[in-house]
Amino acid sequence: MLSRSGHRVLMTLQRKCSNLSQLMKCPAVTEPLNFLAGRRIALDTSRDQIPLQYPATGEVLCSMQLASKMDVDRAVTAAKDAQVGWARMSGFHRGQVLKRAADIIRSRLEEIARLETLDTGKPIWEARLDMQSCADTIEYYGGLAASIAGEFLPLSDGCYAYTIREALGVVGGIGAWNYPLQMASWKSAPALACGNSFVFKPSELTPLTAVVLGEVYKEAGLPDGCYNVVQGGGEVGQLLCSHDLVDKISFTGSVPVGSKIMEACAKGVKHVTLELGGKSPLIIFDDCHLDNAVSGAMMANFLTQGQVCSNGTRVFIQKKIITEFLEKLVKRTKRMKIGDPFNDNTTVGATISRQQADKVLRYVNLAKQEGAEVLCGGQEVTPEERFKGGQFMSPCVLSRCHDDMAVVKDEVFGSLMSVLQFDCEDEVVARANNTEFGLAGGVFTKDLGRAHRVTSHLKAGSLYVNNYNMYPVGVPFGGYKKSGIGRENGPDAIQYYTQVKSVYVEMNDVKAPF
Ligand code: NDP
């Protein structure tokens, strides 16, 4: 909840940022987007540049300079130089810096949320929730920083050992485009709390807010060099993965790229965390609270234009309720408001890129060819004339799907829900697990025994009972099978940003056998 003064600040910021053309000209958009050693740095003008577009209109926001090998080297070297001093500060003091950063994000929430919407095309109310989650994450790890500790291990008489959890060194982060600041926060907050320094490469489609986070950290007192941002595509990501001074890569993105990252990290024997794709099942039993289950299916498919890794895109419905369920679902889906991402009432914003919209359309057509029925949506629409340069998709419900269809097997990453029918529990669990992915899954039922039994049998890392796509910061998130390695959020993330040192202490004379 915002305090009264916080609310006043928010209202002022809302007024300041309410004009879209003003927002497009604000320094966070027009100033250089590479952030090295505590400053936005203009790279030399011979660097390659790419246009950054607002997904809702296609307008070019700025021309972004891409980091070269030398720039990545500068960022990593700055991170290396800063890391030792940062790690030597007490966890308590590191935590204070992070908590101040969380406060600054909250005080600038509206402004940063607007930049996120400009970058991603997602509805503004979603961007606000994302920003809140970023602040929560940074505050959470700020709170944990002072308690990162090893163990005391008593051994035989007169000797003992202890362990210390130490930072890994320089962490490289690489993110996808659907939750840009959240990825920068979910990775940098635990990394910094543990005493690492950080170099982040956002997706080239969404570069803006990760740089603002650098300024927030600096204002909060983070030493220069501890957090850096390099911009560019896959080549820049590869430069980070192969840099000798980078000790770990934390990646969020697709399975094929995750596999390449792991391969590159294997060469340098680097630590990796991989948060990858999914094709998660949502199982709705006939004893569920029907309206809640419909809400859950929509939450599991239509947030951020369906571009969410954990989405429950395979919606299994028990035979007895399928007709009633679909009636309610289609009615509510048709009521979703497609339009201006900056309008508070919009529930469907713009799809990130032309390429992504084409992919969704391709899968709708494939599904139709394979026998699915389109109950609603699945079309490209132009909500208003001013959005004709953007790409907007109407949320789609596909019925009569079966397990072998491409749309049911592949991750599409759009508002495309496949509805599948099932008869009994054993059958649906087997079908739900029949995938190479294992990121998430959900169950709607009033039978608690069944809920626990089914979640225990589902092979996935993040499961929901009677809700979907909730991410409280204290709960670990990550995948089984090809959906990833390691966990973000919760206390578990700490182990992925530290290494354990054991110290054996002898208090007796040494009894050597020679
Ligand atoms: P990609 O895997 O295509 O890209 C992810 C990031 O990796 C981008 O910054 C991209 O750069 C970069 N990259 C691309 N190629 C390489 C390479 N060879 N070496 C190093 N870095 C590289 O994913 P998308 O951005 O398209 O995002 C969608 C995917 O992300 C989906 O599969 C989704 O499931 C997954 N995802 C997973 C989440 C999770 O927590 N499990 C959360 C959100 C998304 P650039 O874009 O600039 O080219």
Side-chain angles (χ1 to χ4, degrees):
M1 287 293 286
L2 274 178
S3 65
R4 228 184 260 179
S5 61
H7 192 69
R8 272 201 302 275
V9 171
L10 182 60
M11 297 315 286
T12 315
L13 283 167
Q14 267 170 346
R15 276 197 300 278
K16 269 193 194 162
C17 311
S18 59
N19 184 323
L20 184 60
S21 60
Q22 264 174 12
L23 184 66
M24 286 180 177
K25 287 186 207 130
C26 80
V29 178
T30 55
E31 287 190 358
L33 293 173
N34 288 274
F35 188 83
L36 272 62
R39 287 190 300 132
R40 288 177 185 256
I41 301 273
L43 309 177
D44 86 50
T45 44
S46 63
R47 294 280 183 276
D48 289 342
Q49 310 207 359
I50 53 164
L52 177 66
Q53 288 178 305
Y54 174 38
T57 60
E59 280 165 273
V60 174
L61 301 172
C62 63
S63 188
M64 185 172 74
Q65 288 186 306
L66 307 184
S68 67
K69 188 170 190 298
M70 201 179 73
D71 303 319
V72 172
D73 190 48
R74 277 166 71 196
V76 172
T77 305
K80 181 76 185 169
D81 292 346
Q83 191 266 327
V84 176
W86 174 243
R88 283 192 184 151
M89 275 171 74
S90 70
F92 177 74
H93 285 114
R94 289 200 300 272
Q96 283 186 313
V97 172
L98 292 179
K99 286 184 198 168
R100 278 196 295 272
D103 288 344
I104 296 168
I105 292 179
R106 290 199 182 98
S107 71
R108 293 178 60 185
L109 192 136
E110 183 64 20
E111 172 204 350
I112 307 175
R114 286 187 166 256
L115 287 171
E116 194 80 322
T117 288
L118 196 62
D119 236 359
T120 58
K122 69 169 68 186
I124 183 65
W125 59 269
E126 280 200 50
R128 287 187 193 117
L129 291 176
D130 294 356
M131 298 307 105
Q132 188 58 51
S133 142
C134 295
D136 291 351
T137 305
I138 294 170
E139 182 177 351
Y140 176 84
Y141 286 106
L144 278 190
S147 59
I148 297 168
E151 286 178 299
F152 173 74
L153 304 166
L155 299 172
S156 58
D157 197 20
C159 99
Y160 66 90
Y162 60 91
T163 60
I164 311 171
R165 272 204 173 269
E166 291 188 339
L168 296 169
V170 178
V171 173
I174 301 175
W177 40 260
N178 51 346
Y179 288 89
L181 192 71
Q182 204 177 70
M183 280 172 209
S185 308
W186 282 20
K187 294 179 190 310
S188 65
L192 292 170
C194 295
N196 302 284
S197 56
F198 189 73
V199 182
F200 188 58
K201 189 207 89 64
S203 165
E204 61 191 355
L205 299 176
T206 52
L208 297 179
T209 47
V211 191
V212 175
L213 181 60
E215 292 169 335
V216 167
Y217 277 139
K218 185 179 170 80
E219 188 185 337
L222 186 73
D224 290 352
C226 285
Y227 176 96
N228 309 272
V229 180
V230 286
Q231 303 286 1
E235 330 71 59
V236 176
Q238 278 296 315
L239 287 170
L240 268 182
C241 296
S242 58
H243 199 292
D244 285 343
L245 297 181
V246 172
D247 300 286
K248 175 193 169 106
I249 294 288
S250 178
F251 171 77
T252 299
S254 61
V255 174
V257 176
S259 170
K260 282 186 197 159
I261 302 264
M262 202 167 170
E263 201 180 326
C265 288
K267 289 197 181 117
V269 196
K270 296 180 196 306
H271 299 248
V272 279
T273 294
L274 301 175
E275 292 290 353
L276 307 179
K279 192 73 198 178
S280 302
L282 173 60
I283 304 173
I284 298 178
F285 286 97
D286 59 17
D287 67 343
C288 68
H289 182 301
L290 201 62
D291 289 321
N292 280 346
V294 171
S295 300
M298 293 175 79
M299 291 274 291
N301 280 273
F302 299 147
L303 287 169
T304 301
Q305 294 71 251
Q307 304 161 144
V308 182
C309 52
S310 52
N311 270 357
T313 44
R314 291 184 293 145
V315 180
F316 291 94
I317 316 222
Q318 205 159 13
K319 196 172 177 181
K320 198 168 125 199
I321 56 165
I322 196 158
T323 308
E324 196 185 351
F325 180 92
L326 285 175
E327 252 174 50
K328 284 176 180 270
L329 173 71
V330 170
K331 201 167 158 193
R332 283 178 59 182
T333 303
K334 282 182 175 167
R335 284 208 304 256
M336 290 183 74
K337 196 167 175 319
I338 308 169
D340 183 355
F342 285 98
N343 183 329
D344 282 327
N345 298 320
T346 294
T347 47
V348 184
T351 296
I352 186 76
S353 62
R354 185 68 258 154
Q355 193 188 13
Q356 193 61 24
D358 288 342
K359 182 177 178 191
V360 177
L361 289 169
R362 202 167 57 244
Y363 271 93
V364 174
N365 280 332
L366 260 177
K368 285 198 264 189
Q369 282 162 24
E370 291 183 308
E373 184 183 352
V374 179
L375 296 184
C376 62
Q379 285 157 349
E380 187 155 12
V381 293
T382 305
E384 291 171 46
E385 186 59 16
R386 65 188 162 123
F387 296 125
K388 64 177 192 307
Q391 47 282 320
F392 290 79
M393 302 294 304
S394 50
C396 179
V397 177
L398 293 168
S399 73
R400 300 182 195 282
C401 292
H402 57 78
D403 298 356
D404 298 328
M405 289 177 173
V407 74
V408 177
K409 290 198 290 197
D410 303 346
E411 184 184 48
V412 183
F413 230 53
S415 293
L416 202 47
M417 184 194 304
S418 309
V419 174
L420 302 125
Q421 183 177 303
F422 75 94
D423 288 310
C424 67
E425 186 180 314
D426 286 349
E427 169 214 334
V428 77
V429 168
R431 288 170 65 194
N433 282 332
N434 187 18
T435 168
E436 59 179 2
F437 298 108
L439 189 54
V443 184
F444 274 80
T445 175
K446 286 185 189 149
D447 178 343
L448 211 52
R450 173 151 69 190
H452 290 301
R453 197 167 53 242
V454 171
T455 49
S456 78
H457 291 154
L458 288 177
K459 304 282 179 233
S462 299
L463 292 164
Y464 299 95
V465 174
N466 294 332
N467 208 334
Y468 207 92
N469 270 342
M470 309 303 288
Y471 302 101
V473 60
V475 180
F477 176 74
Y480 278 22
K481 301 196 264 182
K482 285 194 182 166
S483 290
I485 294 176
R487 291 292 175 269
E488 295 195 305
N489 288 350
D492 294 61
I494 296 295
Q495 67 178 283
Y496 296 101
Y497 289 100
T498 50
Q499 52 197 336
V500 174
K501 179 181 276 176
S502 303
V503 181
Y504 175 102
V505 181
E506 178 66 72
M507 293 192 291
N508 302 311
D509 290 339
V510 176
K511 292 192 187 86
F514 33 74

